[in-house]
Amino acid sequence: MRTRTLALAAASGAALLATVTLSPAAHAGPARGANLKEGSVSAADLLAKVTSCSQISNGKYRTDEETSATVPVCGKNGAVFWKADMDVDCDGEITAACNEDTDPWFQNGTAFETSAGKPLNAERLPYVVVPSTSSIWNYSDAGIKGGGVVAVIYDNKVEYAVVGDTGPNKIIGEASYATAKALGIDPDPETGGAESGVTYILFKNSKVSPIESHSAAVTAGDALAKQFIQNN
């Protein structure tokens, strides 16, 4: 978790229950490239269900420290969603790509931990950051929990991730290095990310176990996405 400034501008001038258990060794996901499509549900089919917003947050969020509050949390049957930017979170286990040298905001912990009680690995694990609880919105009251399944959509690509960290209570739109990289977004935590166009669909009351298993997130995410489309 971190508080960060508008790095992107400076650089360019989540009532369904899905618990899937696999061995911890399954955390390494398949190789993913520019034509990413995880599971069988298309980005277009998911986006068609989130064209309008029934706001459930008490206010709106900023995408960065310097921006105005324009992003609401929206409710759907079995999910919540928002449309924002993507700042890159490198917090958690120290790796070659995520450390104090590569990330000025680096912290060696995450709000939610692996099955072994260790910080998540942002370089390897696709995860999403949710705003810390505030008067604007309480994620846990909405059925969102650590390890919950998230469909992240960008540039006609779908990546399944887990809720892995919490961030500032007035800012929204952040995901791990691995999430950005899988979606074809520059994963550099200081200068990378996407300024807009990212949709986050968080499935209520879902939970991947162990949280570090990306393949489990994909399996659960595909089933939840199909149910989401059917119910909305």
Side-chain angles (χ1 to χ4, degrees):
M1 56 199 98
R2 86 262 308 270
T3 299
R4 60 182 298 164
T5 57
L6 188 55
L8 297 180
S12 65
L16 302 178
L17 178 63
T19 300
V20 181
T21 303
L22 295 179
S23 66
H27 75 280
R32 304 186 292 281
N35 297 319
L36 173 73
K37 180 186 176 185
E38 290 193 326
S40 59
V41 179
S42 71
D45 286 345
L46 285 169
L47 291 175
K49 300 298 183 178
V50 294
T51 56
S52 61
C53 175
S54 176
Q55 184 171 329
I56 62 171
S57 55
N58 294 322
K60 296 181 179 180
Y61 288 95
R62 302 174 181 180
T63 56
D64 289 289
E65 292 274 359
E66 293 85 354
T67 61
S68 56
T70 60
V71 180
V73 177
C74 311
K76 298 291 285 189
N77 288 332
V80 303
F81 75 91
W82 55 80
K83 299 181 180 183
D85 65 343
M86 182 184 288
D87 291 333
V88 177
D89 190 348
C90 241
D91 293 346
E93 181 180 339
I94 297 173
T95 68
C98 293
N99 56 68
E100 292 180 348
D101 293 329
T102 62
D103 181 4
W105 306 278
F106 180 77
Q107 297 183 47
N108 61 358
T110 49
F112 307 106
E113 299 181 326
T114 70
S115 55
K118 297 181 179 180
L120 301 180
N121 185 323
E123 183 179 350
R124 295 177 61 89
L125 180 68
Y127 71 71
V128 165
V129 181
V130 296
S132 296
T133 296
S134 72
S135 59
I136 301 176
W137 185 57
N138 184 327
Y139 65 88
S140 61
D141 286 350
I144 306 305
K145 60 186 73 176
V149 183
V150 187
V152 188
I153 306 161
Y154 177 77
D155 193 23
N156 203 37
K157 296 182 283 288
V158 180
E159 172 73 1
Y160 290 108
V162 293
V163 175
D165 204 358
T166 57
N169 61 14
K170 294 182 180 180
I171 296 177
I172 207 166
E174 188 174 2
S176 68
Y177 181 105
T179 310
K181 185 176 181 180
L183 289 169
I185 296 170
D186 181 356
D188 188 296
E190 184 172 9
T191 62
E195 292 188 1
S196 62
V198 185
T199 300
Y200 303 80
I201 303 175
L202 294 76
F203 300 108
K204 295 180 180 179
N205 298 315
S206 61
K207 186 175 177 65
V208 172
S209 182
I211 190 174
E212 65 268 23
S213 174
H214 179 61
S215 57
V218 175
T219 299
D222 191 48
L224 288 162
K226 290 176 182 177
Q227 192 166 356
F228 175 73
I229 289 174
Q230 182 179 354
N231 292 341
N232 288 278

